[in-house]
Amino acid sequence: MADFAKNDWKTGDTITADQLNRMEDGIQQANTRAMTPGPKGVDGTNGTDGKDGKDAVLTVATVDAIGAVKMAAALPDAAENADAAALRTTLNGLLAALRTAGIVAAK
């Protein structure tokens, strides 16, 4: 099979079965041709092991710095027919859980 020749497509060109088959032949040619390996590298011995890594130090998140936080406890959804007082209680519970988890700053 001859080497594949690239086609320079232009807007308005018609794609034919012959052209698609030629492209597929080029793909097959590229995937099945014999590859010439590069030069063999010099064998070497493994070097000495590096020092152990340091353990991560987790810092507390603040309003000014990124830090580690834990997941807040699960909270129930507000009732569908909840009045303002019930919604306030649910919201305050959510805020308290976020503060406890360190996600929202304390008052």
Side-chain angles (χ1 to χ4, degrees):
M1 181 182 288
D3 283 341
F4 183 79
K6 181 183 176 304
N7 182 56
D8 290 321
W9 294 94
K10 294 173 186 59
T11 302
D13 285 355
T14 302
I15 299 172
T16 66
D18 286 342
Q19 289 169 323
L20 290 174
N21 287 330
R22 187 183 67 79
M23 287 181 357
E24 288 188 1
D25 287 344
I27 293 167
Q28 182 180 22
Q29 182 185 51
N31 286 328
T32 58
R33 72 173 184 233
M35 302 298 277
T36 304
K40 197 167 199 178
V42 177
D43 288 337
T45 58
N46 290 334
T48 57
D49 290 341
K51 295 180 181 178
D52 288 341
K54 295 184 178 184
D55 290 336
V57 177
L58 300 178
T59 58
V60 176
T62 69
V63 294
D64 297 316
I66 295 173
V69 295
K70 62 182 180 180
M71 182 182 295
L75 298 169
D77 292 341
E80 197 165 314
N81 60 350
D83 61 11
L87 289 174
R88 183 174 44 252
T89 301
T90 300
L91 177 59
N92 286 336
L94 171 61
L95 291 171
L98 293 174
R99 286 184 189 107
T100 300
I103 298 171
V104 174
K107 296 180 193 178

